[in-house]
């Protein structure tokens, strides 16, 4: 079983002062981040006009119904 913190004097590849000599570690990979592999879809604008109109109409109908209920309870 190996120790998670080996003795520094017996660890291969370490220089005095805990340094690692050049060439001891492999070079970093790009990992596929060098460029875009597929064209990105165009971003659409937010909400269209029709969904906003429908939402405002539903909100207006609910508000009218609530006001009518309050008026009916008072009268």
């Amino acid at each position: 079983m190996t120790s998670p913190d080996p003795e520094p004097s017996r660890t291969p590849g370490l220089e005095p002062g805990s340094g690692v000599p050049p060439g001891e570690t492999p070079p970093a990979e790009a990992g596929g981040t060098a460029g875009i592999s597929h064209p990105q879809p165009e971003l659409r604008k937010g909400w269209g006009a029709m969904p906003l109109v429908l939402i405002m109409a539903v909100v207006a109908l609910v508000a009218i119904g609530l006001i009518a209920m309050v008026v009916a309870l008072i009268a």
Side-chain angles (χ1 to χ4, degrees):
M1 182 172 162
T2 60
S3 171
D5 191 19
E7 182 67 33
S9 62
R10 296 186 344 195
T11 303
L14 286 182
E15 292 181 336
S18 311
V20 179
E24 186 69 28
T25 58
E29 292 185 27
T33 59
I36 298 174
S37 59
H38 298 289
Q40 300 294 316
E42 289 186 30
L43 296 177
R44 295 177 55 193
K45 291 184 179 181
W47 289 77
M50 193 60 166
L52 290 177
V53 169
L54 290 174
I55 290 172
M56 289 190 311
V58 168
V59 169
L61 288 174
V62 169
I64 290 170
L66 290 174
I67 292 170
M69 274 188 3
V70 169
V71 170
L73 287 175
I74 294 174

